[in-house]
């Protein structure tokens, strides 16, 4: 068995690079670590970190196909982020015009959580600490 240390990053292909870049940086608070344009692939690659930890890569490609179903399609189901105060986060998101599902309680942990879509409708979970 190999010994994994931690999750290194999650890669996301976005349909509108500038819209997704603004969402992940201006709305969710990720910081740009590195941004390159790869001419041969007609693709941007944006490395994003949160509190100094590299977590996400955003890619743009010409005309990527859409996800067929959600959320139970094969592959990545959602990305989850821990928050201190879920009500405050939901309020800030709604004030920014972002639709957020009602807050629910995890039946096993009794912790509060909710979901919101990114610009490509990928599910993002917020989970209260």
């Amino acid at each position: 068995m190999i010994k994994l240390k931690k999750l290194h990053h999650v890669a996301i292909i976005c349909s509108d690079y500038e819209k997704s870049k603004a969402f992940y940086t201006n709305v969710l608070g990720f910081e740009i670590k590195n941004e390159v344009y790869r001419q041969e692939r007609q693709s941007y690659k944006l490395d994003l970190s949160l509190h100094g930890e590299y977590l996400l890569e955003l890619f743009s490609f010409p005309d990527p196909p859409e996800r067929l179903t959600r959320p139970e399609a094969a592959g990545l189901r959602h990305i989850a982020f821990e928050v201190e105060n879920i009500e405050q986060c939901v309020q800030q998101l709604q004030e920014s015009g972002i639709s957020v599902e009602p807050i629910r309680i995890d039946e096993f942990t009794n912790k509060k959580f909710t979901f919101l879509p990114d610009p490509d409708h990928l599910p993002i979970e917020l989970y209260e600490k």
Side-chain angles (χ1 to χ4, degrees):
M1 175 185 323
I2 64 171
K3 294 184 180 183
L4 301 177
K5 290 186 169 231
K6 65 177 186 172
L7 178 66
H8 189 269
H9 70 271
V10 174
I12 299 170
I13 297 173
C14 49
S15 63
D16 184 327
Y17 178 72
E18 293 301 328
K19 188 174 183 179
S20 291
K21 178 181 174 181
F23 175 79
Y24 283 96
T25 57
N26 299 336
V27 175
L28 295 186
F30 278 86
E31 300 161 356
I32 296 173
K33 183 174 179 179
N34 191 37
E35 181 177 32
V36 296
Y37 182 74
R38 300 174 304 174
Q39 181 64 42
E40 72 282 358
R41 300 181 92 183
Q42 299 178 7
S43 170
Y44 279 98
K45 179 183 180 288
L46 181 66
D47 298 333
L48 298 170
S49 63
L50 189 61
H51 307 295
E53 186 176 354
Y54 170 59
L55 293 176
L56 292 179
E57 289 178 343
L58 289 186
F59 289 93
S60 68
F61 292 105
D63 303 314
E66 290 186 22
R67 185 179 173 116
L68 298 177
T69 62
R70 163 185 178 292
E72 278 77 25
L76 183 66
R77 181 175 175 148
H78 64 263
I79 300 170
F81 297 107
E82 182 179 285
V83 299
E84 288 289 332
N85 183 317
I86 201 158
E87 285 90 357
Q88 183 180 20
C89 292
V90 166
Q91 180 180 351
Q92 290 172 323
L93 289 163
Q94 290 173 334
E95 288 171 0
S96 296
I98 296 168
S99 176
V100 181
E101 291 182 5
I103 295 171
R104 296 182 268 169
I105 305 292
D106 184 312
E107 64 183 285
F108 299 107
T109 66
N110 289 321
K111 301 285 185 175
K112 297 175 187 175
F113 70 100
T114 189
F115 285 89
L116 63 135
D118 87 342
D120 285 303
H121 308 287
L122 296 175
I124 294 175
E125 179 182 16
L126 299 180
Y127 200 90
E128 193 168 78
K129 182 176 181 180

